[in-house]
Amino acid sequence: GWKDVISTTIINFNNEKMQITWAAKELFSSENVSFSYTFDEGKTKVWKPCPTYLLDQDYNSGCLFKTEGPTLAISIRNSNGSEELFSKTLKSDFYIKPNRPENVTFFWKADTVTVSCNKPERAVKCLTLELQYKSKFDKDWQSRTSKCCSVGEQGFDPRKCYSFRVRLKRLVPYCNIVNYSSDWAAETFWMNGTLLDSCDDDIKSHSNTVTVLSCLLAVLLVMLILLILLCKWQRLRKSVMPAIPDPKYIFADLFNDHNGNFQEWIDKTDHAMVQTKLEYEELECIIEAESQQEDEKNCDKQEPQEKIFSFSRAAENNDPKAAQIACLMPTSNTIASFAGFQILMNDDMYVML
């Protein structure tokens, strides 16, 4: 009865190695079974013992051996091989699981991606190439299948990062009894035709850019605030504590030319001011017609180096017409009398008496 209930899993790895497994713990818990196989046909079969057992808790649960032909016969016996517990004959070509794709290439053109791989040496017509992809915004994989060994798909957004993976599949039921596919090729990450290490790099690059810009804006804002506060502080300080002028800059000639000697500096400054006043100050002469001839006579009577003018009477009478102003020559000594005051004028100075 065991021959009818025993289920096995048969895998032919790319027509190179065979793997036969069974549920040893459930089926043969009382003893450890043995396994033998043969690729010979006809009555004369040479059975070979299993070269490599697969174990499940110290029980033989499978056998791994080399593929040697299209027709395979297997036999499971008790531990000493005296009793056959299960036997089966099968076509090994109907259980092929292909190897993963080799030399996978991606070709980008606008929004279209074409993926291709090397063609296997055997049974190319029985194989299809499956492409799966998803962006960082997708939860599930999108699938596209084409005959071996090229597949293309449109509608890719160049602004998104995509994950890609491909595998080979055997056609069922024309070539395989079991729907076997190869393992996935290494997953790759692409964005607008550029290979990336991970789609996380794209997210990190955007986050890093945002972080840098945020920090830069924060620094500029802080600098602006500090500048505004500094300007307000300068105004407040000037209004509360006015700056005391430094005499070194106001009286530069006092310190530079006279080494701080104030008396020497003031004497020279006064002399220069008097000289400047004498050189550039001009007196306006207004001579009234009534008294011009009389004044000229009085001037002629005086000595050449001294002239006397009387203004007291005109001042006492408050007669504006009779008011006179003397025009003095810088080379002569002149005594003028005005409103009871006498003014002595020589070449260098005025003296009021």
Side-chain angles (χ1 to χ4, degrees):
W2 286 358
K3 295 181 181 182
D4 298 330
V5 297
I6 291 178
S7 62
T8 58
T9 302
I10 304 168
I11 303 175
N12 184 358
F13 293 102
N14 199 38
N15 211 22
E16 296 172 357
K17 287 186 177 182
M18 297 291 300
Q19 176 179 294
I20 312 295
T21 57
W22 56 88
K25 188 176 180 180
E26 289 79 5
L27 298 175
F28 311 110
S29 59
S30 59
E31 59 179 335
N32 207 356
V33 297
S34 62
F35 178 87
S36 59
Y37 69 95
T38 182
F39 286 94
D40 297 330
E41 298 182 9
K43 296 182 179 180
T44 59
K45 296 180 180 179
V46 179
W47 292 91
K48 298 179 181 179
C50 178
T52 304
Y53 279 105
L54 303 177
L55 300 180
D56 180 14
Q57 298 181 359
D58 296 333
Y59 284 92
N60 295 335
S61 61
C63 181
L64 186 64
F65 53 94
K66 185 178 179 181
T67 303
E68 299 176 359
T71 302
L72 172 65
I74 59 174
S75 176
I76 298 177
R77 296 175 175 271
N78 58 7
S79 57
N80 56 16
S82 59
E83 181 183 358
E84 187 178 70
L85 304 177
F86 174 78
S87 65
K88 185 175 183 179
T89 301
L90 54 96
K91 290 291 185 181
S92 61
D93 292 345
F94 289 164
Y95 298 88
I96 293 178
K97 179 179 181 180
N99 289 340
R100 66 178 61 187
E102 297 180 353
N103 296 330
V104 179
T105 58
F106 290 80
F107 177 74
W108 288 73
K109 185 177 181 181
D111 64 341
T112 303
V113 178
T114 303
V115 184
S116 59
C117 66
N118 289 350
K119 290 184 178 181
E121 297 179 356
R122 302 174 183 174
V124 177
K125 295 182 179 180
C126 289
L127 296 175
T128 58
L129 182 64
E130 181 183 8
L131 169 67
Q132 286 191 349
Y133 60 91
K134 67 176 180 179
S135 70
K136 58 185 179 181
F137 303 102
D138 299 328
K139 293 182 179 180
D140 300 324
W141 291 94
Q142 308 296 321
S143 184
R144 180 84 165 90
T145 304
S146 179
K147 64 180 182 179
C148 186
C149 290
S150 179
V151 58
E153 183 66 13
Q154 297 178 342
F156 290 96
D157 189 344
R159 297 170 298 179
K160 295 181 181 180
C161 178
Y162 292 90
S163 303
F164 291 93
R165 63 182 184 180
V166 292
R167 66 180 178 180
L168 292 173
K169 299 180 65 175
R170 291 275 293 186
L171 293 176
V172 176
Y174 305 104
C175 299
N176 259 33
I177 296 177
V178 183
N179 187 12
Y180 281 148
S181 301
S182 70
D183 295 334
W184 290 106
E187 185 175 349
T188 56
F189 307 92
W190 295 80
M191 181 177 179
N192 196 20
T194 302
L195 179 63
L196 303 176
D197 293 334
S198 172
C199 282
D200 295 336
D201 296 341
D202 180 45
I203 300 174
K204 290 180 181 178
S205 63
H206 286 294
S207 62
N208 291 338
T209 303
V210 172
T211 303
V212 171
L213 291 177
S214 300
C215 294
L216 183 60
L217 291 176
V219 170
L220 292 177
L221 181 60
V222 170
M223 292 177 64
L224 180 61
I225 294 174
L226 291 178
L227 184 61
I228 295 174
L229 292 177
L230 181 61
C231 294
K232 290 187 176 181
W233 167 250
Q234 291 290 344
R235 293 181 182 177
L236 180 62
R237 188 175 65 85
K238 288 182 180 180
S239 61
V240 176
M241 296 180 294
I244 300 175
D246 192 346
K248 180 170 66 176
Y249 302 103
I250 300 177
F251 306 100
D253 52 347
L254 172 61
F255 294 96
N256 295 334
D257 301 338
H258 303 283
N259 295 325
N261 191 332
F262 182 78
Q263 188 61 43
E264 179 182 345
W265 173 75
I266 197 65
D267 292 342
K268 187 173 181 180
T269 304
D270 288 344
H271 180 68
M273 291 177 64
V274 171
Q275 287 287 73
T276 305
K277 184 176 182 181
L278 290 176
E279 290 178 2
Y280 295 100
E281 184 173 357
E282 295 181 358
L283 297 176
E284 181 180 3
C285 297
I286 303 175
I287 302 175
E288 299 294 335
E290 296 177 358
S291 60
Q292 182 176 4
Q293 297 178 356
E294 184 181 354
D295 292 339
E296 290 178 353
K297 293 178 181 180
N298 293 332
C299 290
D300 293 340
K301 294 179 182 181
Q302 295 296 328
E303 296 181 359
Q305 295 181 352
E306 185 173 316
K307 296 181 182 180
I308 302 175
F309 298 90
S310 175
F311 299 93
S312 59
R313 183 179 298 175
E316 291 173 358
N317 295 332
N318 293 326
D319 187 359
K321 295 183 179 180
Q324 300 172 353
I325 298 176
C327 297
L328 306 178
M329 301 299 294
T331 57
S332 64
N333 294 331
T334 305
I335 299 177
S337 175
F338 177 77
F341 293 91
Q342 291 182 346
I343 301 174
L344 175 62
M345 302 180 182
N346 57 17
D347 293 342
D348 299 325
M349 63 180 63
Y350 294 86
V351 179
M352 183 176 288
L353 302 177

